[in-house]
Amino acid sequence: MYRITVRGIVQGVGFRPFVYRLAKSMNLKGYVKNTGTGCVEIVIDRNVDEFIRRLKEEKPPIAEIHKVEVEEISDLNFNDFVIEKSGGKKGGLSLPPPDVALCKFCLKELFDPKNRRYLYPFISCTDCGPRFSVAIKLPYDRENTTFNEFPLCDECQKEFWNVLDRRYYAQSIACPKCGPQYELIYNDKIIKGIDAIIEAAKLIDEGKMIAIKGIGGYHIACKTDDDVVFKLREKLGRPQQPFAVMARNLEVVRKVAYVSEDEERVMTSYIRPITVLKKKNPDEFFAVAPYLDTIGIMLPYSPLHYILFNYLKSDFIVMTSANKPGEPMFIDDGVFSLELDAYLRHNLKIRNRVDDSVIKFVGRRRLIIRRSRGFVPKVIEIKGCLDGLAVGAELYNSITLVKDGKAIVSQYIGNTSNFRTFNEFFKRTVDFFTNFIDLKPKFIACDLHPLYNTTNFAEKLSRKLNIPLYKVQHHFAHALSVMAERGLDKAVAITVDGVGYGFDGTIWGGEILLIDFERGIFKRVGRLERFRLIGGDLATKYPLRVLFSLLYKAKRLDLLDGYEKHLRKGESFELFESFHEIGIATTSMGRVLDAVSAMLEICFERTYEGEPAMKLESVVEPFECNVKPKIETVIEDSIYSKPYVDEEFSVKSDCVKVIRISDFIANCMEEYLDGESKGRIAYKVMKYLAEGFAKIVRDYDYPVVASGGVCFNSYFIPLIEEHVDVYVNEKVACGDNGISFGQAYLGKFLNNF
């Protein structure tokens, strides 16, 4: 006989009944059971090779097989194949799967008039439906989810306990007789059941704005017509930020956007993320994504969405998170404060709010912009890492918990400088996950920035638990996040973004870092030229200030003649000059791209994160050009005893290579004023920066990694890869949404070196 141990996402996904049915179809004898360590143990009497082949090929859609171990054992006396009671070694980390898009079998039943779940918006089975969003505690059984308020009827009970049924032991199943229901609140009327959904579709087609409660929270839905979307923008105070769109099906998506095979694969996967696609006509969906050549589109993923489109005339609707700027998505009746036209809600409590995940392909590389629904709470292995808690940075926040060599990155939390996000979402997420997996952290990691709410929280928690606190520098954390994905102990890292508090008290954002755990090397070996942020945070909002700073350094303020018309009331270039020397110093590549966006008269005010750089990317015109980055060597503090600050932290001076940019930007502006196109200038800037970073990292015999928000740019990483191979984040976000994962990887250094 053979004992087979299957590791991966194999519990809570219908794996045991699948194994049972497979073994019975092959007339095998033995058993299958869940172990206490999150694995599945299978014993069979013969045909092991064919069994494993079919196991991998026919597995449930949500299941992920990471490893299969086989050992031959002495014969056991089995007359049949059975599902045994779970058991074995306890203490392993076993989590429910993420929330999963509706499967093809439930979709067929949903529109079958003969099926008892016909048009029922909570149809699900072992392969699909809510999971993490309804989980209260472990073990993941119905009584430990918010479905505990909906006892199963007799018919559902029969399915639940029938091992041959697709709904065997599926914790979130329900039917119209025993499950949750929708209702529509409109004009002081309450409409219930399927009529509520039909009326909601009618209202959307008429141009109304409706809040819709879904799997992980409320969305706002409306038509994509410009007049309707502009009204929504005014109501939400989001003048330019792109909205997500939900499309009826892939066929209509292909009419308006380019969809590669890779993009199609991820759009139709069980994750069903928002996928950033290239528009076929840049002017289409203008109000949805102003001045962008891309649009974020997702396909229906819940039964409600399919029913809604069944009654909608529109092929596309805006489907954006229902929240006030900077605040978390609503999951309860607080959504009424948005004063929309109608509210389509259900009576199933959402325990864990989960935003839609966002994906963008750069070349063939899948990058995660926002890691949430469909991903959480999947674990990422980081062997040899101490158990710990990392609380992330300020914006795009997530937290990471490490237990038993496995990392759990939380859902997207957002802007923790916002009171509600910090107190109602961030703190609750920390409490939920630490209790959910019974984490006893050996350390806490946070950002180096002294004023972040997350830093203050970590300081208090470390004192309360009497465990060490490590304040990890922002860009070292970015680098560590890629190293953690790849299991690297050393790398040379390109870390490029908008802002990160540096060891020297300045704002970093265009860095090349050398990291070697074994040799204890943590060094800044390269950076962009420093310039100043005139007015501090005002410079991040109004990029003309950054352009002024770069031209001031190049001694080319004459190029700004004619740009006075872009100044705000009360501003002048003379005023900028008087404040220049007291502006905080920065090496931020994100701010450089903002300055170029202002230089090319594309964007003069940032109304959402990344806006100037995103609009700049939308005009890029690649062409054959030669650029020669100017790189100089300076001596400055650059060797750090650790990637974090503690009482023993120390700094030494050494050589640092600096990519000069001010003169180059001035030359580009001169070309632009002489008539060169915006698109060519934009491309030339990207090429100059990419080649500058590539030239420096090639000097090191280390794996090259890259992280930070600039990596989402469609041109930067591909241009670097023309010169050197680069590892970029694939399991977590390149931006700050993935930074807690890098902070957590510090536990490997603490544990092993």
Side-chain angles (χ1 to χ4, degrees), residues 189-201:
K189 295 186 297 183
I190 297 179
I191 306 170
K192 294 184 177 292
I194 187 62
D195 291 337
I197 303 171
I198 295 171
E199 181 67 16

Side-chain angles (χ1 to χ4, degrees), residues 498-512:
V499 59
Y501 190 76
F503 282 127
D504 55 5
T506 66
I507 302 301
W508 292 11
E511 317 305 320
I512 300 174

